[in-house]
Amino acid sequence: MKSIVYSQTGDPSVLHLVDRPVTEPEAGEVRVRIVVSGVNPTDWKSRRGSAPGQALPFDDVVPGQDGAGIVEAIGADVQHVTVGDRVWLALAAYQRANSGSAQEHAVLPAERVFLLPANASFDQGASLGVPAITAHRALTVAEDGPRRLHPGALAGKVVLVAGGAGAVGHAAIQLARWAGASVVTTVSGPAKAALATAAGAQHVLTYTDPDVVEQIQAIAPEGVDLIVEVAPAQNARLDLAVIRNRGSIAVYANNGGDQVTLDVRQHFSLNVRYQFVLLYTVGADVIRAAAEDITAALVDGALAVGEEAGLPLRRTDLAHTADAHALVESGVVGKVLIDVSAG
């Protein structure tokens, strides 16, 4: 089979296409023929490391946390999927050398494989994983909010999504709307505003507007219930100005800087909760619950992709995985997918 591997950290040129043997799943594992692989910022950050030329925990690594495909074989004790099932993957490459989705056949833990509903495409499946589970976690950590998502779970809530044109922002808008929330989002300009509107946000604002705080306050006079935050260093003052008493701010990225300065007195006077989100350490039970809710949203048609749904798709083939990584690393708007095999 064809696989993409890298044996040291560095720029996209460290990625190489190689031939490798197809392997059989052991107990608790599943082999999936990958149809589409999804590329996320976490993929290029892992590949780049903190400096070029660093050693890896394995001799080489197959990248790709997310993807979609068809189950080819299952090991002992696997019960929730069977051969022939269409599936989507999440965190496929985490702490493993050869399980990434940037290859034709991937063997990975069954707990990272989820059924793809019949009405959902492989493109949708490969676009879920890290972005959708991150968005789900961010929407379910509020003190006064639900721990699971379903229609009506966020009814009466106002959710502010910072960066609504990004992959996580897009998923957060869609999941929040599916769960019944009123969604406000901030973007940088008209092109991204069009995407956030297509995703379903009812209120799309430009974060550089000098009166953006007043605009949010007019929409939510009592304050927003929950903020899904991509740039806490840049947005801390705005978030404080618009959050309600006992509101929550879920931080999943460090866009704009690693250091955040908070006014302690103003935050504790509002009982504000900051919740940081990283999927790798959140726990298998949280991942499993999120996947169940995401799959239900797929069945309801709530997680569409493509420019008409607010998430433009950019494509390469497996041999050009380096180009896909470079696109994501450059900050391209939309979702970058790798066509691995025929569906």
Coordinates of all heavy atoms in Angstrom, one line a residue, residues 194-294:
A194 N -19.7 35.8 4.9 CA -20.5 35.0 4.0 C -20.5 33.5 4.4 O -21.5 32.8 4.4 CB -20.2 35.2 2.6
L195 N -19.3 33.0 4.7 CA -19.1 31.7 5.1 C -19.8 31.4 6.4 O -20.5 30.4 6.6 CB -17.6 31.3 5.2 CG -16.9 31.3 3.9 CD1 -15.4 31.0 4.1 CD2 -17.4 30.3 2.9
A196 N -19.6 32.3 7.4 CA -20.3 32.0 8.7 C -21.8 32.1 8.6 O -22.5 31.4 9.3 CB -19.8 33.1 9.7
T197 N -22.3 33.0 7.7 CA -23.7 33.0 7.5 C -24.2 31.7 6.9 O -25.3 31.2 7.3 CB -24.1 34.2 6.6 OG1 -23.7 35.4 7.2 CG2 -25.6 34.3 6.3
A198 N -23.5 31.2 5.9 CA -23.8 30.0 5.2 C -23.8 28.8 6.2 O -24.6 27.9 6.1 CB -22.9 29.7 4.1
A199 N -22.9 28.9 7.2 CA -22.9 27.8 8.3 C -24.1 27.9 9.2 O -24.4 26.9 9.8 CB -21.6 28.0 9.1
G200 N -24.8 29.0 9.3 CA -26.0 29.1 10.0 C -26.0 30.1 11.2 O -27.0 30.2 11.9
A201 N -24.9 30.9 11.3 CA -24.9 31.9 12.4 C -26.0 33.0 12.1 O -26.1 33.5 11.0 CB -23.6 32.6 12.5
Q202 N -26.8 33.3 13.1 CA -27.8 34.3 12.9 C -27.3 35.7 12.9 O -27.9 36.6 12.3 CB -28.9 34.2 14.0 CG -29.7 32.9 14.0 CD -29.3 32.0 15.1 OE1 -28.1 31.8 15.3 NE2 -30.3 31.3 15.7
H203 N -26.2 35.9 13.7 CA -25.6 37.3 13.8 C -24.1 37.2 13.5 O -23.4 36.5 14.2 CB -25.8 37.8 15.2 CG -27.2 37.8 15.7 ND1 -28.2 38.7 15.4 CD2 -27.9 36.8 16.5 CE1 -29.3 38.4 15.9 NE2 -29.2 37.3 16.6
V204 N -23.7 37.8 12.4 CA -22.3 37.8 12.0 C -21.7 39.2 12.0 O -22.2 40.1 11.3 CB -22.2 37.2 10.6 CG1 -20.7 37.1 10.2 CG2 -22.8 35.8 10.5
L205 N -20.7 39.4 12.9 CA -20.1 40.7 13.1 C -18.7 40.7 12.7 O -18.0 39.7 12.7 CB -20.3 41.0 14.6 CG -21.7 40.9 15.2 CD1 -21.6 41.2 16.7 CD2 -22.7 41.8 14.5
T206 N -18.2 41.9 12.5 CA -16.8 42.1 12.1 C -16.0 42.5 13.4 O -16.3 43.5 14.0 CB -16.6 43.1 11.0 OG1 -17.3 42.8 9.9 CG2 -15.1 43.3 10.6
Y207 N -15.0 41.7 13.8 CA -14.4 42.0 15.1 C -13.6 43.2 15.2 O -13.2 43.7 16.2 CB -13.6 40.8 15.6 CG -12.5 40.3 14.8 CD1 -11.3 41.0 14.7 CD2 -12.5 39.1 14.0 CE1 -10.2 40.6 13.9 CE2 -11.5 38.6 13.3 CZ -10.3 39.4 13.2 OH -9.2 38.9 12.5
T208 N -13.2 43.8 14.0 CA -12.5 45.0 14.0 C -13.4 46.3 14.1 O -12.8 47.4 14.2 CB -11.6 45.1 12.7 OG1 -12.5 45.0 11.6 CG2 -10.5 44.1 12.7
D209 N -14.7 46.1 14.0 CA -15.6 47.3 14.2 C -15.3 47.9 15.6 O -15.3 47.1 16.6 CB -17.0 46.8 14.0 CG -17.4 46.6 12.6 OD1 -16.6 46.9 11.7 OD2 -18.5 46.1 12.4
P210 N -15.2 49.2 15.7 CA -15.0 49.8 17.0 C -16.1 49.6 18.0 O -15.9 49.6 19.2 CB -14.7 51.3 16.6 CG -15.3 51.5 15.3 CD -15.2 50.2 14.6
D211 N -17.3 49.3 17.5 CA -18.5 49.2 18.4 C -18.9 47.7 18.4 O -20.1 47.4 18.7 CB -19.6 50.0 17.9 CG -20.2 49.7 16.5 OD1 -19.4 49.0 15.8 OD2 -21.3 50.1 16.3
V212 N -18.0 46.7 18.2 CA -18.4 45.3 18.2 C -19.0 44.9 19.5 O -19.9 44.1 19.6 CB -17.3 44.4 17.7 CG1 -16.1 44.4 18.7 CG2 -17.8 43.0 17.4
V213 N -18.4 45.4 20.6 CA -19.0 45.1 21.9 C -20.4 45.5 22.1 O -21.3 44.8 22.5 CB -18.1 45.7 23.0 CG1 -18.8 45.6 24.4 CG2 -16.7 45.0 23.1
E214 N -20.7 46.8 21.6 CA -22.0 47.3 21.7 C -23.0 46.5 20.8 O -24.1 46.3 21.2 CB -22.0 48.8 21.3 CG -21.4 49.7 22.3 CD -19.9 49.7 22.3 OE1 -19.3 49.1 21.3 OE2 -19.3 50.1 23.3
Q215 N -22.5 46.0 19.7 CA -23.3 45.2 18.8 C -23.7 43.9 19.5 O -24.9 43.5 19.4 CB -22.6 44.9 17.5 CG -22.4 46.2 16.6 CD -21.6 45.8 15.3 OE1 -22.1 44.9 14.6 NE2 -20.5 46.5 15.0
I216 N -22.8 43.3 20.1 CA -23.0 42.0 20.8 C -24.0 42.3 22.0 O -24.9 41.5 22.2 CB -21.7 41.3 21.3 CG1 -20.9 41.0 20.1 CG2 -22.1 40.1 22.1 CD1 -19.5 40.5 20.5
Q217 N -23.8 43.3 22.7 CA -24.6 43.7 23.9 C -26.1 43.9 23.4 O -27.0 43.6 24.2 CB -24.0 44.8 24.6 CG -22.8 44.5 25.4 CD -22.1 45.7 26.0 OE1 -22.2 46.8 25.5 NE2 -21.3 45.5 27.0
A218 N -26.2 44.5 22.2 CA -27.6 44.8 21.7 C -28.3 43.5 21.4 O -29.5 43.3 21.6 CB -27.5 45.7 20.5
I219 N -27.5 42.5 20.9 CA -28.1 41.2 20.6 C -28.4 40.4 21.9 O -29.4 39.7 22.0 CB -27.1 40.4 19.7 CG1 -26.9 41.1 18.4 CG2 -27.6 38.9 19.5 CD1 -25.7 40.6 17.6
A220 N -27.5 40.5 22.9 CA -27.6 39.7 24.1 C -27.5 40.7 25.3 O -26.5 40.7 25.9 CB -26.6 38.6 24.2
P221 N -28.6 41.4 25.6 CA -28.5 42.4 26.7 C -28.1 41.9 28.0 O -27.5 42.6 28.9 CB -29.9 43.0 26.7 CG -30.5 42.7 25.4 CD -29.9 41.4 24.9
E222 N -28.5 40.6 28.3 CA -28.1 40.0 29.6 C -26.7 39.3 29.5 O -26.3 38.7 30.5 CB -29.2 38.9 29.9 CG -30.6 39.4 30.0 CD -30.7 40.5 31.1 OE1 -30.1 40.4 32.2 OE2 -31.4 41.6 30.8
G223 N -26.1 39.4 28.4 CA -24.8 38.8 28.2 C -24.9 37.4 27.5 O -25.9 36.8 27.5
V224 N -23.8 37.0 26.9 CA -23.8 35.7 26.2 C -23.5 34.6 27.2 O -22.8 34.8 28.2 CB -22.8 35.7 25.1 CG1 -23.1 36.7 24.0 CG2 -21.4 35.8 25.6
D225 N -24.1 33.4 27.0 CA -24.0 32.3 27.9 C -22.6 31.6 27.8 O -22.1 31.2 28.8 CB -25.1 31.3 27.7 CG -26.5 31.9 28.0 OD1 -26.8 32.0 29.1 OD2 -27.1 32.4 27.0
L226 N -22.1 31.5 26.6 CA -21.0 30.7 26.3 C -20.2 31.3 25.1 O -20.8 31.7 24.1 CB -21.4 29.3 26.0 CG -20.3 28.3 25.6 CD1 -19.3 28.0 26.7 CD2 -21.0 26.9 25.1
I227 N -18.9 31.3 25.3 CA -18.0 31.8 24.2 C -17.1 30.7 23.8 O -16.4 30.1 24.7 CB -17.2 33.0 24.7 CG1 -18.1 34.2 25.1 CG2 -16.2 33.5 23.6 CD1 -17.4 35.4 25.7
V228 N -17.0 30.4 22.5 CA -16.1 29.4 21.9 C -14.9 30.3 21.4 O -15.1 30.9 20.4 CB -16.8 28.6 20.8 CG1 -15.8 27.6 20.3 CG2 -18.0 27.9 21.4
E229 N -13.8 30.2 22.1 CA -12.7 31.2 21.9 C -11.5 30.6 21.2 O -10.9 29.6 21.7 CB -12.3 31.8 23.2 CG -11.3 32.9 23.1 CD -11.8 34.0 22.2 OE1 -12.7 34.8 22.6 OE2 -11.3 34.1 21.0
V230 N -11.1 31.2 20.1 CA -9.9 30.8 19.4 C -8.7 31.7 19.6 O -7.5 31.3 19.4 CB -10.2 30.7 17.8 CG1 -10.5 32.1 17.3 CG2 -9.1 30.1 17.0
A231 N -8.9 32.9 20.1 CA -7.9 33.9 20.3 C -8.0 34.6 21.6 O -8.3 35.8 21.7 CB -7.9 34.9 19.1
P232 N -7.7 33.9 22.7 CA -8.0 34.5 24.0 C -7.1 35.7 24.3 O -7.6 36.6 25.0 CB -7.7 33.3 25.0 CG -6.8 32.4 24.2 CD -7.2 32.5 22.8
A233 N -5.9 35.7 23.9 CA -5.0 36.9 24.1 C -5.6 38.1 23.5 O -5.6 39.2 24.1 CB -3.6 36.6 23.6
Q234 N -6.2 38.0 22.3 CA -6.7 39.2 21.6 C -8.1 39.6 22.1 O -8.5 40.7 22.1 CB -6.8 38.9 20.1 CG -5.4 38.7 19.4 CD -5.6 38.4 18.0 OE1 -6.5 37.7 17.6 NE2 -4.6 38.8 17.1
N235 N -8.9 38.6 22.5 CA -10.3 38.8 22.8 C -10.7 38.8 24.3 O -11.9 38.9 24.6 CB -11.1 37.7 22.1 CG -11.0 37.8 20.6 OD1 -10.8 38.8 20.0 ND2 -11.2 36.6 19.9
A236 N -9.7 38.8 25.2 CA -10.0 38.7 26.6 C -10.9 39.9 27.0 O -11.9 39.7 27.8 CB -8.8 38.6 27.4
R237 N -10.6 41.1 26.6 CA -11.4 42.2 27.0 C -12.8 42.2 26.5 O -13.8 42.5 27.1 CB -10.7 43.5 26.6 CG -9.4 43.8 27.4 CD -8.9 45.2 27.2 NE -7.7 45.5 28.0 CZ -7.1 46.7 28.0 NH1 -7.5 47.7 27.2 NH2 -6.0 46.9 28.8
L238 N -12.9 41.8 25.2 CA -14.2 41.7 24.5 C -15.0 40.7 25.3 O -16.2 40.9 25.6 CB -14.1 41.4 23.1 CG -15.4 41.2 22.3 CD1 -15.1 41.7 20.8 CD2 -15.9 39.8 22.3
D239 N -14.4 39.5 25.5 CA -15.1 38.4 26.2 C -15.7 38.9 27.6 O -16.8 38.6 27.9 CB -14.2 37.2 26.4 CG -13.9 36.6 25.0 OD1 -14.5 36.9 24.0 OD2 -12.9 35.8 25.0
L240 N -14.9 39.6 28.3 CA -15.3 40.1 29.6 C -16.4 41.0 29.5 O -17.4 41.0 30.3 CB -14.1 40.7 30.4 CG -14.4 41.4 31.7 CD1 -15.0 40.3 32.7 CD2 -13.2 42.1 32.3
A241 N -16.4 41.9 28.5 CA -17.4 42.9 28.3 C -18.8 42.3 27.9 O -19.8 42.9 28.2 CB -17.0 43.9 27.2
V242 N -18.8 41.1 27.3 CA -20.1 40.6 26.8 C -20.6 39.3 27.5 O -21.7 38.9 27.3 CB -20.0 40.3 25.3 CG1 -19.7 41.6 24.5 CG2 -19.1 39.2 25.0
I243 N -19.7 38.7 28.4 CA -20.2 37.5 29.1 C -21.2 37.8 30.2 O -21.1 38.8 30.8 CB -18.9 36.7 29.6 CG1 -19.2 35.3 30.0 CG2 -18.4 37.4 30.8 CD1 -19.3 34.4 28.8
R244 N -22.1 36.9 30.4 CA -23.1 37.1 31.4 C -22.5 36.6 32.8 O -21.5 35.9 32.8 CB -24.4 36.4 31.1 CG -24.3 34.9 31.2 CD -25.7 34.3 31.3 NE -25.8 32.8 31.2 CZ -25.5 32.0 32.3 NH1 -25.2 32.5 33.4 NH2 -25.6 30.7 32.1
N245 N -23.2 36.9 33.8 CA -22.9 36.3 35.1 C -22.9 34.8 35.1 O -23.9 34.2 34.5 CB -23.8 36.8 36.2 CG -23.4 36.3 37.6 OD1 -22.3 36.6 38.1 ND2 -24.3 35.6 38.2
R246 N -21.9 34.1 35.5 CA -21.8 32.6 35.5 C -21.6 32.1 34.1 O -21.9 30.9 33.8 CB -22.9 31.9 36.2 CG -22.9 32.1 37.7 CD -24.1 31.6 38.4 NE -24.3 30.1 38.1 CZ -25.1 29.3 38.8 NH1 -25.6 29.8 39.9 NH2 -25.2 28.1 38.5
G247 N -21.2 32.9 33.1 CA -21.0 32.5 31.8 C -19.6 31.8 31.7 O -18.8 31.8 32.6
S248 N -19.4 31.0 30.6 CA -18.2 30.2 30.4 C -17.5 30.6 29.1 O -18.2 30.9 28.1 CB -18.5 28.7 30.4 OG -19.0 28.3 31.6
I249 N -16.2 30.6 29.1 CA -15.4 30.9 28.0 C -14.5 29.6 27.7 O -13.7 29.3 28.5 CB -14.5 32.1 28.2 CG1 -15.3 33.3 28.5 CG2 -13.6 32.3 27.0 CD1 -14.5 34.5 29.1
A250 N -14.8 28.9 26.6 CA -14.1 27.7 26.3 C -13.0 28.0 25.3 O -13.2 28.4 24.1 CB -15.0 26.7 25.7
V251 N -11.7 27.8 25.7 CA -10.6 28.2 24.9 C -9.9 27.0 24.2 O -9.6 26.0 25.0 CB -9.5 28.9 25.7 CG1 -8.3 29.2 24.9 CG2 -10.1 30.2 26.3
Y252 N -9.9 26.9 22.9 CA -9.3 25.7 22.2 C -8.1 26.0 21.4 O -7.5 25.1 20.8 CB -10.4 25.1 21.4 CG -10.8 25.9 20.1 CD1 -10.1 25.8 18.9 CD2 -11.9 26.8 20.2 CE1 -10.4 26.5 17.8 CE2 -12.2 27.5 19.1 CZ -11.5 27.4 17.9 OH -11.9 28.1 16.8
A253 N -7.6 27.3 21.3 CA -6.4 27.6 20.5 C -5.8 28.8 21.1 O -6.3 29.5 22.0 CB -6.8 27.8 19.1
N254 N -4.6 29.1 20.6 CA -3.8 30.3 21.1 C -3.5 31.3 20.0 O -2.5 31.9 20.0 CB -2.5 29.8 21.7 CG -1.6 29.0 20.8 OD1 -2.1 28.6 19.7 ND2 -0.4 28.8 21.1
N255 N -4.4 31.4 19.0 CA -4.2 32.4 18.0 C -4.0 33.8 18.6 O -4.8 34.2 19.5 CB -5.4 32.4 17.0 CG -5.6 31.2 16.2 OD1 -5.0 30.1 16.5 ND2 -6.4 31.2 15.2
G256 N -3.0 34.5 18.2 CA -2.8 35.8 18.7 C -1.8 35.9 19.9 O -1.6 37.0 20.3
G257 N -1.4 34.7 20.4 CA -0.4 34.8 21.5 C -0.7 33.8 22.6 O -1.9 33.4 22.8
D258 N 0.3 33.4 23.3 CA 0.2 32.4 24.4 C -0.1 33.0 25.7 O -0.5 32.3 26.7 CB 1.5 31.7 24.5 CG 1.8 30.8 23.3 OD1 0.8 30.3 22.6 OD2 3.0 30.5 23.0
Q259 N 0.1 34.3 25.9 CA -0.1 34.9 27.2 C -1.4 35.7 27.3 O -1.7 36.5 26.4 CB 1.1 35.9 27.5 CG 2.5 35.2 27.5 CD 2.6 34.1 28.5 OE1 2.1 34.2 29.6 NE2 3.2 32.9 28.1
V260 N -2.2 35.5 28.3 CA -3.5 36.2 28.5 C -3.4 36.9 29.8 O -3.1 36.4 30.8 CB -4.6 35.2 28.5 CG1 -6.0 36.0 28.6 CG2 -4.7 34.4 27.2
T261 N -3.8 38.2 29.8 CA -3.9 39.0 31.0 C -5.4 39.2 31.4 O -6.1 39.7 30.5 CB -3.2 40.4 30.8 OG1 -1.8 40.2 30.5 CG2 -3.3 41.2 32.1
L262 N -5.7 38.8 32.6 CA -7.1 38.9 33.0 C -7.2 39.8 34.2 O -6.4 39.8 35.1 CB -7.7 37.5 33.4 CG -7.7 36.5 32.3 CD1 -8.2 35.2 32.9 CD2 -8.5 36.9 31.1
D263 N -8.3 40.6 34.3 CA -8.6 41.4 35.5 C -9.3 40.5 36.5 O -10.5 40.1 36.3 CB -9.5 42.6 35.1 CG -9.8 43.5 36.3 OD1 -10.2 43.0 37.3 OD2 -9.6 44.7 36.1
V264 N -8.6 40.1 37.5 CA -9.2 39.0 38.4 C -10.5 39.5 39.1 O -11.5 38.8 39.1 CB -8.2 38.7 39.5 CG1 -8.8 37.7 40.5 CG2 -6.9 38.0 38.8
R265 N -10.5 40.8 39.6 CA -11.6 41.2 40.3 C -12.9 41.3 39.4 O -14.0 40.8 39.8 CB -11.4 42.6 40.9 CG -12.5 43.2 41.7 CD -12.1 44.5 42.3 NE -11.0 44.4 43.2 CZ -11.0 44.0 44.5 NH1 -12.2 43.7 45.0 NH2 -10.0 43.9 45.2
Q266 N -12.8 41.7 38.2 CA -13.9 41.8 37.3 C -14.4 40.4 36.9 O -15.6 40.2 36.8 CB -13.6 42.6 36.0 CG -13.4 44.1 36.3 CD -13.3 44.9 35.0 OE1 -14.2 44.9 34.2 NE2 -12.1 45.5 34.7
H267 N -13.5 39.5 36.7 CA -13.9 38.1 36.4 C -14.6 37.4 37.6 O -15.6 36.8 37.4 CB -12.7 37.3 35.9 CG -12.4 37.6 34.5 ND1 -11.6 38.7 34.1 CD2 -12.8 37.0 33.3 CE1 -11.4 38.7 32.8 NE2 -12.1 37.7 32.3
F268 N -14.0 37.6 38.8 CA -14.7 36.8 39.8 C -16.0 37.5 40.3 O -16.9 36.9 40.8 CB -13.8 36.5 41.0 CG -13.3 37.6 41.9 CD1 -14.2 38.4 42.6 CD2 -12.0 37.7 42.3 CE1 -13.8 39.4 43.5 CE2 -11.5 38.6 43.2 CZ -12.4 39.5 43.8
S269 N -16.1 38.8 40.0 CA -17.4 39.4 40.3 C -18.5 38.9 39.4 O -19.7 39.0 39.8 CB -17.3 41.0 40.1 OG -17.1 41.3 38.8
L270 N -18.2 38.4 38.3 CA -19.2 37.8 37.4 C -19.2 36.3 37.4 O -20.0 35.6 36.7 CB -18.9 38.2 35.9 CG -19.2 39.6 35.5 CD1 -18.7 39.9 34.1 CD2 -20.7 39.8 35.6
N271 N -18.3 35.7 38.3 CA -18.3 34.2 38.4 C -18.0 33.6 37.0 O -18.5 32.5 36.7 CB -19.6 33.6 39.0 CG -19.7 33.9 40.4 OD1 -19.1 33.2 41.3 ND2 -20.4 34.9 40.8
V272 N -17.1 34.2 36.3 CA -16.8 33.7 34.9 C -15.9 32.4 35.0 O -15.0 32.3 35.8 CB -16.0 34.8 34.1 CG1 -15.5 34.2 32.8 CG2 -17.0 36.0 33.9
R273 N -16.3 31.5 34.2 CA -15.5 30.2 34.1 C -14.7 30.2 32.8 O -15.2 30.3 31.7 CB -16.4 29.0 34.1 CG -15.7 27.7 33.9 CD -16.7 26.5 33.8 NE -17.2 26.2 35.1 CZ -17.8 25.1 35.4 NH1 -18.0 24.2 34.4 NH2 -18.3 24.9 36.6
Y274 N -13.4 30.0 32.9 CA -12.5 29.7 31.7 C -12.3 28.2 31.7 O -11.9 27.6 32.7 CB -11.2 30.4 31.8 CG -11.1 31.7 31.1 CD1 -11.5 32.9 31.7 CD2 -10.6 31.7 29.8 CE1 -11.4 34.1 31.0 CE2 -10.5 32.9 29.1 CZ -10.9 34.1 29.7 OH -10.8 35.3 29.0
Q275 N -12.6 27.6 30.5 CA -12.4 26.1 30.4 C -11.5 26.0 29.1 O -11.8 26.4 28.0 CB -13.7 25.4 30.1 CG -13.6 24.0 29.7 CD -13.2 23.1 30.8 OE1 -13.9 23.1 31.9 NE2 -12.2 22.3 30.7
F276 N -10.3 25.3 29.4 CA -9.4 25.1 28.3 C -9.7 23.7 27.7 O -10.1 22.8 28.4 CB -8.0 25.2 28.7 CG -7.6 26.6 29.1 CD1 -7.9 27.1 30.4 CD2 -7.1 27.5 28.1 CE1 -7.6 28.5 30.7 CE2 -6.8 28.8 28.5 CZ -7.1 29.3 29.7
V277 N -9.5 23.5 26.4 CA -9.9 22.4 25.7 C -8.8 21.8 24.8 O -8.2 22.5 24.0 CB -11.1 22.7 24.7 CG1 -11.5 21.4 23.9 CG2 -12.3 23.2 25.5
L278 N -8.4 20.6 25.1 CA -7.4 19.9 24.3 C -7.8 18.4 24.2 O -7.9 17.7 25.2 CB -6.0 19.9 24.9 CG -4.9 19.2 24.1 CD1 -4.7 19.9 22.7 CD2 -3.6 19.1 24.8
L279 N -8.1 17.9 23.0 CA -8.7 16.6 22.8 C -7.8 15.5 23.3 O -8.3 14.5 23.8 CB -9.1 16.4 21.4 CG -10.2 17.3 20.8 CD1 -10.7 16.7 19.5 CD2 -11.4 17.4 21.8
Y280 N -6.5 15.7 23.1 CA -5.6 14.5 23.4 C -5.7 14.1 24.9 O -5.4 12.9 25.2 CB -4.2 14.9 23.1 CG -4.0 15.2 21.6 CD1 -3.4 16.5 21.2 CD2 -4.3 14.3 20.6 CE1 -3.2 16.7 19.8 CE2 -4.1 14.6 19.3 CZ -3.6 15.8 18.9 OH -3.4 16.1 17.6
T281 N -6.0 15.0 25.8 CA -6.0 14.6 27.2 C -7.4 14.7 27.8 O -7.5 14.7 29.0 CB -5.1 15.5 28.0 OG1 -5.4 16.9 27.7 CG2 -3.6 15.3 27.5
V282 N -8.4 14.8 27.0 CA -9.8 15.0 27.6 C -10.4 13.8 28.1 O -11.3 13.8 28.9 CB -10.7 15.7 26.5 CG1 -11.2 14.8 25.5 CG2 -11.8 16.5 27.2
G283 N -10.0 12.6 27.6 CA -10.5 11.3 28.1 C -11.4 10.6 27.0 O -12.1 11.3 26.3
A284 N -11.3 9.3 27.0 CA -12.0 8.5 26.0 C -13.5 8.7 26.2 O -14.3 8.6 25.2 CB -11.6 7.1 26.1
D285 N -14.0 8.8 27.4 CA -15.5 8.9 27.6 C -16.0 10.2 26.9 O -17.1 10.1 26.3 CB -15.8 8.8 29.1 CG -15.6 7.5 29.7 OD1 -15.5 6.5 28.9 OD2 -15.6 7.4 30.9
V286 N -15.3 11.2 27.1 CA -15.7 12.5 26.5 C -15.7 12.4 24.9 O -16.6 12.9 24.3 CB -14.8 13.7 26.9 CG1 -15.1 14.9 26.2 CG2 -15.0 13.9 28.4
I287 N -14.7 11.8 24.4 CA -14.6 11.6 22.9 C -15.8 10.8 22.5 O -16.4 11.1 21.4 CB -13.2 10.9 22.6 CG1 -12.1 11.8 23.0 CG2 -13.2 10.7 21.0 CD1 -11.9 13.1 22.3
R288 N -16.0 9.7 23.2 CA -17.1 8.8 22.7 C -18.5 9.5 22.8 O -19.3 9.3 21.8 CB -17.1 7.6 23.7 CG -18.1 6.5 23.2 CD -18.1 5.3 24.2 NE -16.8 4.8 24.4 CZ -16.1 4.9 25.6 NH1 -16.7 5.5 26.6 NH2 -14.9 4.4 25.7
A289 N -18.7 10.2 23.8 CA -20.0 10.9 23.9 C -20.1 12.0 22.8 O -21.2 12.1 22.2 CB -20.1 11.6 25.3
A290 N -19.1 12.7 22.6 CA -19.1 13.7 21.5 C -19.4 13.0 20.1 O -20.2 13.5 19.3 CB -17.8 14.5 21.5
A291 N -18.7 11.9 19.9 CA -18.9 11.2 18.6 C -20.3 10.8 18.4 O -20.9 10.8 17.3 CB -17.9 10.0 18.5
E292 N -21.0 10.3 19.5 CA -22.4 9.9 19.4 C -23.3 11.1 19.0 O -24.1 11.0 18.2 CB -22.8 9.3 20.8 CG -22.2 7.9 21.1 CD -22.6 7.5 22.5 OE1 -23.3 8.2 23.2 OE2 -22.1 6.3 22.8
D293 N -23.0 12.2 19.7 CA -23.8 13.4 19.4 C -23.6 13.9 18.0 O -24.5 14.3 17.2 CB -23.6 14.5 20.4 CG -24.0 14.1 21.8 OD1 -24.7 13.1 22.0 OD2 -23.6 14.8 22.8
I294 N -22.3 13.9 17.6 CA -21.9 14.4 16.2 C -22.6 13.5 15.2 O -23.1 13.9 14.1 CB -20.4 14.4 16.1 CG1 -19.8 15.5 16.9 CG2 -20.0 14.5 14.6 CD1 -18.3 15.4 17.2

